[in-house]
């Protein structure tokens, strides 16, 4: 039995030495995984959190040679959400001299976070603005 345990430990050590702790991107913006270079034990999650705060340690491989791996947040943060534009207002008339681009500029100058476009109604066209109340 002692010989088997020694052989298992020897194989595990070889796996640790040969397996580079390369980072794998699960999702380029959200989660990375990396091998922790240690046999998987009850402290795998703690090892992960020490190196990558907010990470989750998990066992990876075939028993009894499971290695501790770590999944952690990585990549650039999410872009900021666009401002909430929950109010609607008028930006004047649209015509051949003032189309969508002009309407959008009017709304931006008149309202906070304003954007706009021309909306056609029967025989006329009006600049409609959406902005933050």
């Amino acid at each position: 039995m002692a010989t088997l345990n020694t052989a298992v430990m020897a194989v595990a050590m070889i796996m640790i030495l040969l397996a580079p702790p390369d980072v794998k991107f699960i999702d380029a913006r959200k989660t990375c995984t990396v091998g922790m270079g240690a046999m998987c034990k009850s402290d795998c999650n703690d090892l992960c959190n020490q190196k990558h705060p907010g990470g989750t340690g998990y066992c990876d491989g075939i028993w009894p040679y499971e290695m501790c791996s770590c999944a952690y947040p990585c990549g650039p943060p999410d872009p900021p959400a666009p401002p909430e534009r929950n109010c609607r207002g008028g930006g004047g008339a649209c015509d051949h001299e003032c189309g969508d681009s002009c309407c959008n500029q009017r709304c931006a100058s008149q309202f906070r976070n304003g954007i706009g476009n021309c909306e056609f109604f029967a025989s006329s066209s009006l600049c409609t603005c959406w902005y933050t109340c």
Side-chain angles (χ1 to χ4, degrees):
M1 187 70 170
T3 310
L4 179 60
N5 285 342
T6 305
V8 168
M9 288 305 293
V11 169
M13 290 305 294
I14 291 170
M15 289 175 64
I16 290 170
L17 295 173
L18 295 179
D22 57 323
V23 174
K24 297 176 189 171
F25 293 97
I26 295 174
D27 175 338
R29 294 179 44 114
K30 300 291 179 200
T31 306
C32 293
T33 62
V34 64
M36 299 302 295
M39 291 296 293
C40 200
K41 296 186 240 173
S42 60
D43 65 346
C44 181
N45 200 46
D46 293 334
L47 287 172
C48 176
N49 272 294
Q50 286 172 5
K51 186 157 184 160
H52 302 285
T56 303
Y58 63 95
C59 298
D60 192 23
I62 300 171
W63 185 87
Y65 308 111
E66 292 176 306
M67 302 298 290
C68 179
S69 291
C70 181
Y72 60 96
C74 64
D78 288 337
E84 189 172 314
R85 294 180 175 104
N86 50 3
C87 283
R88 184 176 174 175
C94 288
D95 55 27
H96 67 279
E97 291 179 17
C98 185
D100 283 336
S101 178
C102 169
C103 172
N104 194 46
Q105 288 175 355
R106 283 184 192 167
C107 295
S109 66
Q110 291 179 12
F111 300 104
R112 190 172 117 212
N113 296 317
I115 58 171
N117 66 300
C118 297
E119 293 186 4
F120 298 94
F121 300 98
S123 61
S124 63
S125 179
L126 299 174
C127 176
T128 302
C129 301
W130 291 97
Y131 60 96
T132 303
C133 296

